[in-house]
Short mmCIF file of all heavy atoms in Angstrom, two decimals:
data_model
loop_
_atom_site.label_atom_id
_atom_site.label_comp_id
_atom_site.label_asym_id
_atom_site.label_seq_id
_atom_site.Cartn_x
_atom_site.Cartn_y
_atom_site.Cartn_z
N PRO A 851 25.08 -55.35 -3.91
CA PRO A 851 24.89 -53.90 -3.94
C PRO A 851 23.52 -53.49 -3.41
O PRO A 851 23.38 -52.49 -2.72
CB PRO A 851 25.05 -53.56 -5.43
CG PRO A 851 25.84 -54.67 -5.99
CD PRO A 851 25.42 -55.88 -5.25
N ARG A 859 20.08 -47.27 3.53
CA ARG A 859 18.81 -46.60 3.78
C ARG A 859 18.36 -46.77 5.22
O ARG A 859 17.88 -45.86 5.86
CB ARG A 859 17.75 -47.12 2.80
CG ARG A 859 17.91 -46.62 1.38
CD ARG A 859 16.60 -46.77 0.62
NE ARG A 859 16.24 -48.18 0.52
CZ ARG A 859 16.59 -48.96 -0.49
NH1 ARG A 859 17.36 -48.48 -1.45
NH2 ARG A 859 16.20 -50.21 -0.54
N PRO A 901 -5.00 -30.90 48.01
CA PRO A 901 -4.77 -31.99 47.06
C PRO A 901 -6.08 -32.58 46.56
O PRO A 901 -7.16 -32.36 47.13
CB PRO A 901 -4.00 -33.01 47.90
CG PRO A 901 -4.46 -32.77 49.30
CD PRO A 901 -4.70 -31.29 49.40
N VAL A 923 -12.76 -10.76 26.27
CA VAL A 923 -12.53 -10.81 24.82
C VAL A 923 -12.32 -9.40 24.28
O VAL A 923 -11.42 -9.15 23.47
CB VAL A 923 -13.71 -11.49 24.11
CG1 VAL A 923 -13.55 -11.40 22.60
CG2 VAL A 923 -13.80 -12.96 24.52
N ARG A 959 18.98 0.71 8.33
CA ARG A 959 18.37 -0.62 8.37
C ARG A 959 18.81 -1.39 9.61
O ARG A 959 18.00 -2.02 10.29
CB ARG A 959 18.74 -1.41 7.11
CG ARG A 959 18.00 -0.99 5.86
CD ARG A 959 18.37 -1.92 4.71
NE ARG A 959 17.68 -1.55 3.48
CZ ARG A 959 17.80 -2.23 2.33
NH1 ARG A 959 18.58 -3.30 2.28
NH2 ARG A 959 17.15 -1.84 1.26
N PRO A 1063 -0.31 -4.27 -4.92
CA PRO A 1063 -0.71 -5.60 -5.42
C PRO A 1063 0.39 -6.66 -5.29
O PRO A 1063 0.08 -7.84 -5.12
CB PRO A 1063 -1.04 -5.33 -6.90
CG PRO A 1063 -1.45 -3.90 -6.92
CD PRO A 1063 -0.57 -3.22 -5.93
N THR A 1091 1.48 -3.33 33.55
CA THR A 1091 0.24 -3.05 34.30
C THR A 1091 -0.23 -4.21 35.16
O THR A 1091 -1.04 -4.00 36.07
CB THR A 1091 -0.90 -2.68 33.33
OG1 THR A 1091 -1.22 -3.81 32.51
CG2 THR A 1091 -0.50 -1.51 32.44
#
Side-chain angles (χ1 to χ4, degrees):
R859 286 200 297 268
V923 173
R959 285 185 180 182
T1091 66

